[in-house]
Amino acid sequence: FQLNGEEIKQEEKIWYFDINNEKADKKLKSNAAHRKIPINQALVDVGFLEFVNQRQLENQNSRLFPDSTMALDGYYSSNFSKKYSRFLREIGIKKKKLSFHSYRHTFEDALRAAQVDHYVMNALQGHASGDMSDRYGSGYPIKVLNDAVQKIEYPGIKLRK
């Protein structure tokens, strides 16, 4: 919810989310949270890049989701998460372990189902493994991350443009 249009970038012809805390209103939970997440082709196919372009035309420095307000804890996602839980209750599908954060778990499950290497999964999710190797190097090349993200499938979900 804190992403700006300028943080949708391209490297080696691969579109990705640049997750960072380079602006004063941005906050990440850890150093590992700073990362590049390639955009799955299914999102590109349904017009995500056109959405980004439209937001940038409206206001170049604007967040992609400007209706989300920053909560007292400093995160844009907190208020939305509460609204999302209320929405789930209103439509009658709220369960104890079903929340907005469930999407992170679904992403992890999809990576696991695609047999993505555990270390690559950690890099995509912004998790530090705790290994000494986390302290060195610059992470995975964008192509390796992209190969992993493009393997993700959600059987039964049909995206339309």
Side-chain angles (χ1 to χ4, degrees):
F1 293 97
Q2 62 186 3
L3 274 175
N4 292 306
E6 64 197 24
E7 294 162 332
I8 307 304
K9 298 181 178 179
Q10 192 177 40
E11 181 179 321
E12 298 180 29
K13 298 183 181 180
I14 297 169
W15 287 99
Y16 67 93
F17 299 101
D18 181 14
I19 308 299
N20 66 69
N21 58 352
E22 294 170 1
K23 293 193 176 189
D25 70 334
K26 301 188 75 170
K27 187 174 176 180
L28 298 177
K29 292 182 179 180
S30 70
N31 286 337
H34 186 272
R35 63 202 186 276
K36 296 175 182 178
I37 305 172
I39 300 172
N40 188 283
Q41 187 61 42
L43 282 178
V44 173
D45 292 347
V46 297
F48 180 73
L49 296 177
E50 287 84 358
F51 166 75
V52 171
N53 287 334
Q54 183 59 41
R55 291 295 302 134
Q56 286 183 302
L57 287 173
E58 293 169 9
N59 183 349
Q60 186 158 4
N61 295 318
S62 178
R63 290 189 335 271
L64 291 179
F65 306 101
D67 294 341
S68 297
T69 56
M70 186 184 291
L72 294 176
D73 64 1
Y75 292 100
Y76 285 102
S77 60
S78 297
N79 287 334
F80 182 82
S81 184
K82 291 174 187 171
K83 288 179 187 178
Y84 190 75
S85 287
R86 283 193 299 270
F87 171 72
L88 293 176
R89 274 193 293 283
E90 287 171 9
I91 64 172
I93 64 169
K94 179 70 176 125
K95 296 177 185 170
K96 186 176 182 175
K97 293 191 175 190
L98 181 62
S99 67
F100 183 66
H101 191 74
S102 299
Y103 288 109
R104 282 185 67 91
H105 297 285
T106 302
F107 180 61
E108 183 171 355
D109 289 344
L111 290 167
R112 194 177 296 114
Q115 299 182 340
V116 171
D117 177 83
H118 182 73
Y119 291 104
V120 174
M121 286 174 54
N122 281 345
L124 288 166
Q125 295 180 96
H127 295 165
S129 67
D131 292 348
M132 185 62 78
S133 62
D134 285 342
R135 298 179 190 172
Y136 303 100
S138 58
Y140 288 95
I142 193 72
K143 183 176 178 348
V144 171
L145 299 173
N146 188 56
D147 289 348
V149 167
Q150 300 312 323
K151 289 180 182 178
I152 294 173
E153 294 180 355
Y154 296 103
I157 296 178
K158 302 275 190 246
L159 297 175
R160 294 181 216 140
K161 188 164 186 173

